[in-house]
């Protein structure tokens, strides 16, 4: 068990134990909802320990990253296929099967693309943080043709991200690059960062009839976004409940499991619209504190190790994974990003590689 002796492993174990403790939560409406939810959580947290045991060489880390990029490249190609060649008949039938699904996926006069993922949110976030990872890896000690390939792949993924219409995903590239610039702290990177910021500012203020660009511009004006205002009101409404229930309403008390196992509960129909709000409602402010502590320890240990690493290749990979985790930390505020498949697995893959 020596592979697991690390502060990150310790806090993940504490989070697992707290999830198990939620089974005796006195405020929980359904023990069955807890069982279904904790089973899914156990899967991707155990993935972290499996990877900690399995990662024993640079070669294996490279293999993991290649596998990650390969699957996301397939997802990107299929997203482009949907955008430019159109949705297939079985996809249209699936969208039209429920009015709510149609309203969610058809906005601003066009369909939001989802590739072969469960929804546009997962596709948008996956393209966003994987595109950033490609850019960061391209700055590593690779041969020129590999750098060109990674830069090209990164550009295609960032552009493909726009097809999803997921506004929260649009914020991640500039925010992730800001994090990268601060941690890297080199003059040439700072200059490139200022130039990119200038280009982004122009793009956000140029009038356009392209629905993808219009949606991109709206992502940086949350006060003008009705859906963001609804989220703010919902969060203000639920705060008193969170403050008076330190262990929350129990795992699975919100969303689909809540509607299935405890439909009489007012929490069953509450839309969290945020990974942090869901944690606070289901696991209380204790659970939220533990999750934030997990993120803090990952960044503390990860940045400390990044500054100590001397191998240029491992240094590049470390910063790339830190940027991925930072991006998902931000994405989890406006959306339930970290709880979605396969993002939850990639989140712990990134943490394991950092460690």
């Amino acid at each position: 068990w020596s592979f697991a002796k690390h502060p990150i492993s310790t806090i993940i174990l504490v989070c697992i134990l707290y999830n198990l403790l939620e089974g005796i939560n006195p405020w929980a409406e359904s023990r069955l909802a807890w069982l279904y939810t904790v089973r899914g959580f156990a899967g991707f947290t155990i993935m972290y320990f499996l990877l900690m045991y399995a990662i024993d060489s640079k070669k294996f880390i490279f293999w993991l990253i290649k596998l990650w990029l390969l699957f996301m490249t397939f997802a990107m190609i299929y997203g482009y296929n949907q955008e430019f060649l159109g949705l297939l008949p079985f996809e249209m039938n699936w969208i039209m099967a429920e009015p709510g699904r149609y309203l969610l996926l058809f906005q601003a006069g066009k369909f939001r693309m989802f590739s072969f993922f469960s929804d546009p949110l997962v596709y948008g976030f996956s393209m966003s943080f994987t595109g950033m990872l490609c850019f960061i890896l391209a700055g590593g000690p690779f041969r020129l043709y590999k750098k060109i390939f990674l830069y090209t792949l990164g550009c295609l993924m960032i552009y493909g991200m726009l097809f999803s219409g997921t506004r929260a995903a649009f914020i991640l590239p500039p925010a992730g690059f800001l994090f990268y610039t601060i941690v890297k702290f080199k003059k040439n990177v700072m200059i490139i960062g200022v130039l990119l910021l200038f280009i982004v500012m122009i793009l956000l203020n140029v009038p356009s009839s392209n629905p993808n660009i219009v949606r991109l511009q709206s992502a940086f004006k949350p006060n003008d976004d009705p859906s963001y205002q609804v989220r703010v009101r919902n969060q203000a409404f639920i705060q008193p409940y969170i403050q008076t229930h330190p262990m929350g309403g129990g795992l699975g008390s919100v969303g689909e499991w809540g509607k299935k196992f405890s439909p009489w509960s007012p929490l069953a129909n509450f839309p969290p619209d945020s990974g942090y709000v869901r944690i606070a409602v289901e696991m209380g402010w204790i659970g939220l504190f533990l999750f934030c502590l997990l993120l803090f320890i990952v960044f503390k240990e990860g940045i400390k190790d990044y500054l100590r690493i001397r191998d240029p290749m491992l240094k590049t990979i470390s910063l790339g994974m830190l940027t991925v985790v930072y991006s998902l930390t931000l994405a989890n505020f406006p959306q339930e990003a970290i709880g979605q498949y396969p993002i939850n697995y990639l989140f712990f893959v990134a943490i394991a590689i950092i460690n």
Side-chain angles (χ1 to χ4, degrees):
W1 289 98
S2 59
F3 69 91
K5 289 180 180 177
H6 192 275
I8 294 176
S9 304
T10 302
I11 187 61
I12 289 177
L13 278 174
V14 170
C15 289
I16 291 173
L17 291 173
Y18 183 74
N19 273 265
L20 295 175
L21 191 64
E22 279 286 326
I24 57 171
N25 185 343
W27 293 289
E29 296 284 350
S30 171
R31 301 284 177 250
L32 202 54
W34 166 83
L35 182 63
Y36 274 79
T37 307
V38 81
R39 185 179 60 180
F41 175 79
F44 54 82
T45 48
I46 288 173
M47 172 67 75
Y48 163 82
F49 289 101
L50 291 174
L51 285 170
M52 283 301 299
Y53 183 77
I55 296 174
D56 57 358
S57 65
K58 278 200 242 182
K59 185 177 179 181
F60 190 73
I61 291 177
F62 297 156
W63 182 84
L64 273 176
I65 294 172
K66 286 176 183 177
L67 194 64
W68 180 335
L69 296 183
L70 179 66
F71 279 119
M72 289 304 171
T73 301
F74 287 148
M76 177 199 72
I77 292 170
Y78 196 73
Y80 272 81
N81 179 73
Q82 289 179 327
E83 176 73 11
F84 294 109
L85 299 181
L87 296 164
L88 295 174
F90 77 90
E91 293 170 330
M92 285 299 299
N93 292 338
W94 176 73
I95 292 171
M96 304 300 286
E98 293 183 15
R101 187 180 295 153
Y102 173 80
L103 291 173
L104 178 68
L105 296 180
F106 187 80
Q107 295 181 6
K110 71 179 293 290
F111 283 104
R112 299 171 61 192
M113 301 308 164
F114 47 87
S115 187
F116 48 65
F117 293 115
S118 58
D119 57 43
L121 181 147
V122 179
Y123 174 59
F125 282 141
S126 298
M127 292 298 100
S128 181
F129 65 73
T130 306
M132 282 189 291
L133 179 61
C134 289
F135 285 130
I136 294 169
L137 292 176
F142 290 106
R143 292 180 180 178
L144 181 60
Y145 75 93
K146 289 185 178 180
K147 288 176 179 284
I148 293 171
F149 173 76
L150 286 168
Y151 278 128
T152 304
L153 191 60
C155 289
L156 289 171
M157 285 185 177
I158 295 297
Y159 186 63
M161 167 195 72
L162 298 177
F163 306 155
S164 71
T166 305
R167 279 176 290 218
F170 303 162
I171 299 170
L172 299 190
F177 190 76
L178 178 63
F179 173 82
Y180 170 82
T181 305
I182 292 170
V183 178
K184 190 82 172 175
F185 205 72
K186 285 190 175 181
K187 185 179 178 181
N188 58 337
V189 177
M190 296 282 188
I191 293 170
I192 294 171
V194 171
L195 289 173
L196 286 176
L197 181 63
F198 181 69
I199 293 169
V200 169
M201 292 302 294
I202 293 174
L203 185 63
L204 294 179
N205 291 282
V206 172
S208 175
S209 59
N210 186 317
N212 290 326
I213 301 298
V214 172
R215 199 167 178 87
L216 169 66
Q217 293 171 339
S218 69
F220 292 86
K221 300 173 184 177
N223 291 331
D224 299 333
D225 180 15
S227 64
Y228 177 78
Q229 298 303 322
V230 171
R231 288 186 176 93
V232 171
R233 287 195 294 271
N234 288 338
Q235 290 173 17
F237 169 78
I238 205 65
Q239 279 179 9
Y241 180 87
I242 296 169
Q243 292 163 1
T244 55
H245 294 74
M247 291 185 70
L251 290 175
S253 57
V254 175
E256 294 303 315
W257 293 131
K259 292 175 183 176
K260 183 174 181 178
F261 295 114
S262 55
W264 58 87
S265 170
L267 295 180
N269 295 304
F270 174 76
D273 291 323
S274 165
Y276 298 111
V277 173
R278 176 182 282 274
I279 292 170
V281 174
E282 292 190 345
M283 302 169 64
W285 53 262
I286 296 176
L288 182 61
F289 170 77
L290 288 174
F291 186 73
C292 291
L293 184 62
L294 164 63
L295 294 173
F296 172 77
I297 291 174
V298 168
F299 287 120
K300 174 181 172 293
E301 296 295 322
I303 293 172
K304 181 182 74 175
D305 289 342
Y306 167 77
L307 297 173
R308 295 168 59 211
I309 293 171
R310 291 292 171 262
D311 185 312
M313 184 69 76
L314 291 181
K315 205 173 183 72
T316 301
I317 291 172
S318 176
L319 185 52
M321 294 302 156
L322 280 167
T323 306
V324 167
V325 175
Y326 175 77
S327 302
L328 289 175
T329 300
L330 283 183
N332 207 44
F333 177 72
Q335 299 284 354
E336 295 181 59
I338 296 176
Q340 301 277 351
Y341 291 99
I343 295 175
N344 44 17
Y345 281 99
L346 293 177
F347 177 72
F348 281 98
V349 167
I351 293 176
I353 292 176
I354 288 167
N355 201 350

